[in-house]
Amino acid sequence: LILADDSYLELLPGPVIPHRHSRFITHTRATVAGSATLLTVELLQPGRKHHGPGELFEFDLYSSTLTADRPDGTPLFTEKLIAEPWRHPVRQAGVMGKFDVFANVTLITPRRHADQIFEQVVPGADASTDCVAGASRLPNEAGLVYKVLGMETEPVKAKVRAFWDLARRQVLGAPVPAARPWG
């Protein structure tokens, strides 16, 4: 991905639902101008949760890397997520714990936008949705990362959508589009 001055891009693919013994590997490289904004989302489900026993966290590998730099080659950060449940169980504190669904939102944006968005994020547990969420700053004043853990996909998507809406309103002055009734 290459974002020139004052450009804006949202990359929101559907969730990854890895089945037993599957491997998912992706690497995204982004060159982002200092005045541009890039919002990327990845949503990882535990497998075919309602398919039957033996489907949760039975995939072999989930590996996702996002590397970002400036047009002059100055590195911003690399975010790498790796899950190998057969090697390192994910049902432990500091990983997934009791939760099944994980979302990772990366927002590369000018600091003035990142500061305003960060102030509006309410971190912590939400008992009404059985989710936990929080934001932190990316290195090199590159923007923010927002992570959500939840038991079900829809509440996690709702948290992501709320963060996406904050970002869009701050940067573009417009809300996210209405949700499609089937998505």
Side-chain angles (χ1 to χ4, degrees), residues 70-104:
R70 293 292 184 210
D72 67 1
T74 302
L76 294 175
F77 64 89
T78 296
E79 170 96 351
K80 183 159 181 83
L81 304 169
I82 298 176
E84 292 179 290
W86 61 274
R87 181 178 292 178
H88 304 285
V90 296
R91 290 277 189 217
Q92 55 187 317
V95 186
M96 293 293 288
K98 70 173 189 167
F99 298 103
D100 288 340
V101 182
F102 171 72
N104 189 57

Side-chain angles (χ1 to χ4, degrees), residues 5-106:
D5 287 326
D6 301 318
S7 60
Y8 182 91
L9 177 66
E10 297 168 344
L11 182 60
L12 296 101
V16 174
I17 309 169
H19 60 82
R20 185 187 327 215
H21 300 303
S22 65
R23 298 171 63 85
F24 180 87
I25 302 169
T26 183
H27 183 121
T28 304
R29 180 169 195 89
T31 300
V32 184
S35 61
T37 294
L38 171 63
L39 180 122
T40 67
V41 176
E42 58 188 317
L43 186 78
L44 176 62
Q45 294 181 317
R48 298 180 295 180
K49 184 172 182 175
H50 302 291
H51 189 270
E55 289 285 333
L56 294 183
F57 300 110
E58 291 294 325
F59 53 91
D60 288 346
L61 174 68
Y62 177 85
S63 175
S64 173
T65 305
L66 172 61
T67 301
D69 57 18
R70 293 292 184 210
D72 67 1
T74 302
L76 294 175
F77 64 89
T78 296
E79 170 96 351
K80 183 159 181 83
L81 304 169
I82 298 176
E84 292 179 290
W86 61 274
R87 181 178 292 178
H88 304 285
V90 296
R91 290 277 189 217
Q92 55 187 317
V95 186
M96 293 293 288
K98 70 173 189 167
F99 298 103
D100 288 340
V101 182
F102 171 72
N104 189 57
V105 183
T106 306

Side-chain angles (χ1 to χ4, degrees), residues 118-137:
F118 189 76
E119 288 178 14
Q120 296 177 64
V121 173
V122 179
D126 181 345
S128 68
T129 62
D130 205 12
C131 289
V132 293
S136 60
R137 296 181 186 276

Side-chain angles (χ1 to χ4, degrees), residues 6-10 37 109 113 117 164-177:
D6 301 318
S7 60
Y8 182 91
L9 177 66
E10 297 168 344
T37 294
T109 195
H113 296 314
I117 296 162
W164 173 28
D165 190 63
L166 279 176
R168 194 177 242 249
R169 287 176 188 274
Q170 174 62 38
V171 177
L172 297 180
V176 298

